[in-house]
Amino acid sequence: MPRTLRAGNAQRGSRAGGLGRLLGECAPMTELFHRLQRVAPTGVSVLLTGESGTGKELVAETIHSLSAGREEPFVAVNCGAIPATLVEAELFGYERGSFTGAVRSQAGYFERAGRGTLFLDEAGEMPPEMQVKLLRALESRRFYRVGGERDIPLQARVIAATNRPLSDALAENRFRADLLYRLAVFHLHIPPLRRRGEDVYLLAQCFLDRLNEAEDSNKGFSVDSMRYLQEHSWPGNVRELYNTVQRAFILADDDVDLRGASEYGADIAEPSVAADCAVTFRQGMSLSAVERVVIEETLRRCSGNKTRTAAVLGISVKTLYNKLNEYRALA
């Protein structure tokens, strides 16, 4: 039976099973917490995998908070949101005059992280040429700013994350195997919400408790909301659950109706396209050209809805916008 959900229960939510800001009592999450506690103090590189919305950045923050460098900076960067031509400058920094627009010297993400943690989200989106430079920096523990001559020690711990199977990228030669092994000294997989059993009730109540506390209210879930929590597959995972609870809270006077609030969210509940999904490719097309065809055709069949297109393709909306901007620049 699912746990009883009720309003005004902020204290219960704060004491629920979990680790740091991570909540969960199911077996997969309990195992994740155990592994996380073992690896956090070591300082080795960690690779986080899991679907979009499962909380990979929160897991990375928890590792940082349990590490020896917890008082040092935690720097997060979305690799898929940086244009390919700027990845090196963003990660390693650059010197004044090293390229057009470099009017002053700038420290990169590695320098800003110092002895703390650098979180590379969507690492699978990193351009191949940048993968080589990242691998060299990780192996030598030193790097150069773009246009610089002084080598800088790499002191930060690196945690990488991806929501797409890197095995596919390896098979298609889009990701280097040697870099994967360097990043995945320790691998942690975050389970999707649909595999977490009654954790969905625990999380929903925790989110409602926080909203009640912030707004000094005493709203509670409707009876139908209990059924909806169990029936819905939550393709957007914890992020979708939080957004749905927040929308329902805004719309509610007393009873929070999750099913009704779902109608006001992004249409990703059923991330499928038309039944006729065939796409034709010419023999000899490059992988980048094939990728462009797939992205543009998926966007067309999703009627231009970029949120739904990203969900169908298994990438973030930021990555989709980045790809589309590159295509427009080449037009």
Side-chain angles (χ1 to χ4, degrees):
M1 292 294 292
R3 67 177 65 247
T4 301
L5 302 187
R6 59 185 186 276
N9 194 24
Q11 289 300 314
R12 170 67 182 93
S14 65
R15 290 199 302 265
L19 183 65
R21 292 169 56 207
L22 293 169
L23 289 178
E25 295 178 347
C26 66
M29 290 300 290
T30 301
E31 178 63 20
L32 174 65
F33 296 154
H34 172 71
R35 292 173 179 266
L36 195 155
Q37 288 176 298
R38 298 288 259 180
V39 72
T42 66
V44 302
S45 298
V46 179
L47 177 66
L48 306 177
T49 58
E51 296 176 8
S52 180
T54 51
K56 293 184 289 295
E57 183 168 347
L58 187 55
V59 172
E61 290 177 356
T62 303
I63 293 174
H64 174 74
S65 70
L66 296 173
S67 70
R70 64 180 66 88
E71 301 299 327
E72 301 295 331
F74 174 87
V75 178
V77 52
N78 187 321
C79 298
I82 305 175
T85 54
L86 296 178
V87 175
E88 183 178 7
E90 290 292 320
L91 288 182
F92 298 145
Y94 54 87
E95 298 293 351
R96 178 181 177 182
S98 56
F99 55 85
T100 303
V103 296
R104 59 183 177 83
S105 297
Q106 176 68 53
Y109 289 115
F110 275 107
E111 282 186 78
R112 286 180 237 171
R115 296 179 181 273
T117 301
L118 178 64
F119 176 55
L120 300 176
D121 198 9
E122 295 194 38
E125 303 298 323
M126 191 174 295
E129 59 273 16
M130 188 59 215
Q131 294 176 29
V132 178
K133 296 176 181 179
L134 176 60
L135 175 63
R136 186 181 304 118
L138 292 175
E139 289 181 336
S140 67
R141 303 301 297 179
R142 309 193 77 79
F143 62 92
Y144 293 87
R145 287 183 179 180
V146 175
E149 298 181 353
R150 177 177 64 89
D151 65 330
I152 302 170
L154 195 166
Q155 300 173 305
R157 178 189 204 160
V158 176
I159 300 177
T162 178
N163 61 7
R164 296 204 292 177
L166 283 180
S167 57
D168 295 344
L170 290 173
E172 298 167 4
N173 293 320
R174 290 187 291 105
F175 201 84
R176 296 179 62 94
D178 45 6
L179 177 57
L180 173 61
Y181 298 139
R182 176 64 65 173
L183 292 173
V185 175
F186 201 93
H187 173 225
L188 293 172
H189 180 73
I190 297 88
L193 187 54
R194 63 183 176 277
R195 301 282 185 243
R196 293 179 56 180
E198 294 189 8
D199 276 2
V200 66
Y201 305 105
L202 169 69
L203 291 164
Q205 184 63 59
C206 178
F207 297 152
L208 180 59
D209 291 342
R210 292 175 186 173
L211 292 167
N212 273 324
E213 185 176 15
E215 299 296 329
D216 192 24
S217 59
N218 193 39
K219 299 178 183 181
F221 289 112
S222 66
V223 174
D224 185 59
S225 289
M226 295 288 291
R227 290 192 290 266
Y228 186 71
L229 283 170
Q230 186 175 30
E231 294 168 1
H232 190 52
S233 63
W234 302 105
N237 293 294
V238 179
R239 184 185 295 123
E240 181 190 358
L241 174 62
Y242 175 76
N243 290 342
T244 303
V245 172
Q246 189 174 43
R247 284 195 303 272
F249 183 89
I250 293 170
L251 294 169
D253 291 324
D254 294 304
D255 289 340
V256 176
D257 178 16
L258 296 179
R259 193 185 303 274
S262 66
E263 299 176 1
Y264 293 85
D267 183 19
I268 63 171
E270 297 295 335
S272 58
V273 294
D276 178 16
C277 297
V279 179
T280 302
F281 302 110
R282 299 189 310 275
Q283 184 176 3
M285 288 180 70
S286 65
L287 285 175
S288 60
V290 170
E291 180 184 64
R292 178 172 181 172
V293 170
V294 171
I295 289 176
E296 292 180 339
E297 181 62 16
T298 304
L299 181 64
R300 184 185 70 80
R301 298 189 185 193
C302 289
S303 302
N305 186 318
K306 295 181 176 63
T307 301
R308 187 162 181 246
T309 300
V312 171
L313 295 171
I315 60 178
S316 72
V317 177
K318 286 184 179 180
T319 298
L320 176 61
Y321 272 102
N322 193 39
K323 295 288 185 183
L324 295 176
N325 288 336
E326 288 183 7
Y327 301 154
R328 279 193 286 271
L330 294 173

